Amino acid sequence: MNAPLPPEVLKQHLIDPEICIRCNTCEETCPIDAITHDGTNYVVDPAICNGCMACVPPCPTGSIDNWRLVLKTEAYSVEEQFGWDELPGEKALPDTVSANSASDAEEIVSVVSNGGEDADSASAPTPVFSPSGATIPPWSAAHPYVNLYGHKTPAVATVVGNYRVTDEDTDSDIHHIVLDFGNVPFPVLEGQSIGILPPGTDAQGRPHHARQYSLASPRDGERAGYNNLSLTVKRVTEDHQGQPARGVCSNYLCDLARNDTVQVIGPFGNTFLMPNHAHANLMMICTGTGSAPMRAMTERYRRRIARGTNGRLMLFFGARTQRELPYFGPLMKLPRDFIDINLALSRDAAQPRRYVQDLIRERAADVLTLLQDPNTCIYVCGLKGMETGVLDALRDVVVQSGEDWTILHDVLRREGRLHFETY
Ligand SMILES: Cc1cc2nc3c(=O)[nH]c(=O)nc-3n(C[C@H](O)[C@H](O)[C@H](O)COP(=O)(O)OP(=O)(O)OC[C@H]3O[C@@H](n4cnc5c(N)ncnc54)[C@H](O)[C@@H]3O)c2cc1C
Ligand code: SF4
Ligand code: SF4
């Protein structure tokens, strides 16, 4: 059993700014809002964090799992952490902290910093579920490799394809980009993402941090049997408030030419993974580039149609117009008995505005059948704002049938069957 920390000592929770990919997962997960960020770093407020560990498992990079023993009066402030380029080293505790207490405290840090693996059962972290989705993968998911390549040792990939997948005359410039890893091992699974290190420095002269992109290709490659993968990247030309802004990494990626090389870190993600068992159903709900993981999973299923082991595929896909829907052409060529496609167009002159949640409600009977099947996994990816609308629609479908949504929602999370990736 670990002794309590000396009263004057704090086990301070810190985020490694060199590894963090600024994905916001930890800030969304923390139940007491101890994590915050500025334009540069994600940081933990020592005055709020209670060390509950809820944020540690979902962090895709492990950058969240850093702890330092400090005197409470010398805890690193939020403002100090915003200015960091790298984590500070360990500081020796002053002699005034009793020798025994200090060594107990150091033991506690080592237990916490390995994710609690060495802790006894009484102190092991309990699984924590985010308010909306699961933080564990489906039971039959393949085991993913994560964090094989970091900032200091990125993998180098070569661009072997880069073309636009939305109509030229639309504002939405989305590219399909194929990266080849040659002989460099880069094993991935559908639902995972990679980090791209854009060249150059930010306004403070620091190297740009990595941006995360979901895989759009299945585990055996964009071209089956090749060591390559694809991404679906939207060129950011305005910020979230609609003001003109040139996104650093998305513009870099969309402008790449064949044979250019890019620095890649990752892979990331160990929960938004597809089931592997026979007859598993996929319900996929996405908007825009959120279609990337859905393309990867659908292609995995398409390549094994002949086996006859596929379950049902149901897709809800939202965009402003058909011409802004990435991969519209190839998607519509898929056989109707292979995938049930539901397109929600919000700016189509010929139709009233419809969003994915409207179509989920319209297809209530089929959605309910899938939700009640324990072989169904549900994936939601795309705009941050869609999460609430989709959850409300799923809840309505269940409640209208006389079932209890709270119970089903809890089952879906506990069984790793409901996953969100919104950004
Ligand atoms: C898990 C995860 C998966 C992701 N997968 C994909 C993917 O498959 N395809 C994809 O294109 N992107 C994806 N993203 C988003 C991607 O990581 C970048 O955030 C995005 O490309 C913008 O980066 P940037 O460097 O171009 O813009 P920045 O230089 O970082 O930002 C420029 C300005 O634009 C704003 N901004 C940032 N992102 C957007 C946006 N999407 N729309 C509008 N304004 C924005 C910023 O607030 C800032 O004001 C994913 C993000 C996460 C966390
Ligand atoms: S350990 Fe708990 S309280 Fe601290 S930042 Fe993580 S989730 Fe929040
Ligand atoms: S990489 Fe980890 S620490 Fe950084 S923002 Fe994402 S979850 Fe938080």
Side-chain angles (χ1 to χ4, degrees), residues 23 46 55 62 99 103 109 123 130 178 239 267 272 287 291 295 308 312 321-322 326 348 359 363 381 416-417:
C23 67
C55 58
S103 77
V109 166
S123 58
S130 71
V178 185
D239 64 18
F272 193 107
T287 54
S291 55
R295 180 182 185 270
R312 286 180 62 186
T321 65
Q322 189 175 298
D348 188 313
L359 293 190
R363 297 290 311 276
C381 188
R417 292 168 45 210

Side-chain angles (χ1 to χ4, degrees), residues 125-138:
T126 44
V128 179
F129 296 94
S130 71
S132 310
T135 54
I136 48 173

Side-chain angles (χ1 to χ4, degrees), residues 9 20 36 45 88 107 112 122 130 147 177 193 199 224 267-268 304 320 366-367 392 411:
V9 173
C20 172
T36 182
D45 188 336
E107 188 188 329
V112 170
S130 71
N147 294 320
I177 299 168
S193 56
F268 302 122
R304 57 181 201 196
R320 288 194 296 195
D366 294 300
V367 169
D392 287 351
V411 168

Side-chain angles (χ1 to χ4, degrees), residues 13 29-32 34-35 44 48-55 67:
H13 186 186
T29 309
C30 178
I32 54 170
I35 299 178
V44 184
I48 304 178
C49 175
N50 62 16
C52 74
M53 301 291 280
C55 58
W67 309 82

Side-chain angles (χ1 to χ4, degrees), residues 236-254:
V236 170
T237 54
E238 51 184 42
D239 64 18
H240 292 293
Q241 288 71 44
Q243 298 303 313
R246 188 178 160 80
V248 170
C249 196
S250 59
N251 281 276
Y252 161 67
L253 285 170
C254 289

Side-chain angles (χ1 to χ4, degrees), residues 202-345:
D202 63 18
Q204 286 78 42
R206 294 187 268 215
H208 287 301
H209 66 78
R211 269 63 163 187
Q212 212 175 346
Y213 295 91
S214 306
L215 298 178
S217 51
R219 64 190 75 181
D220 55 339
E222 168 69 8
R223 180 169 174 188
Y226 281 66
N227 190 17
N228 59 18
L229 56 78
S230 63
L231 307 175
T232 312
V233 180
K234 179 173 190 245
R235 187 190 292 277
V236 170
T237 54
E238 51 184 42
D239 64 18
H240 292 293
Q241 288 71 44
Q243 298 303 313
R246 188 178 160 80
V248 170
C249 196
S250 59
N251 281 276
Y252 161 67
L253 285 170
C254 289
D255 291 337
L256 286 169
R258 273 175 71 94
N259 297 323
D260 283 347
T261 55
V262 287
Q263 296 199 308
V264 184
I265 62 172
F268 302 122
N270 49 18
T271 57
F272 193 107
L273 300 173
M274 62 186 291
N276 258 338
H277 63 282
H279 309 299
N281 310 309
L282 306 182
M283 190 189 298
M284 300 173 281
I285 305 163
C286 63
T287 54
T289 54
S291 55
M294 313 314 180
R295 180 182 185 270
M297 293 186 196
T298 302
E299 186 59 10
R300 169 95 181 138
Y301 267 49
R302 193 191 66 78
R303 288 181 189 178
R304 57 181 201 196
I305 286 178
R307 278 202 225 165
T309 56
N310 285 343
R312 286 180 62 186
L313 297 188
M314 189 173 202
L315 172 69
F316 294 94
F317 194 170
R320 288 194 296 195
T321 65
Q322 189 175 298
R323 290 174 301 119
E324 291 180 49
L325 243 156
Y327 309 116
F328 178 72
L331 178 65
M332 298 320 281
K333 288 193 188 116
L334 292 172
R336 283 304 104 100
D337 61 351
F338 165 66
I339 181 167
D340 180 351
I341 301 170
N342 300 271
L343 300 183
L345 303 176

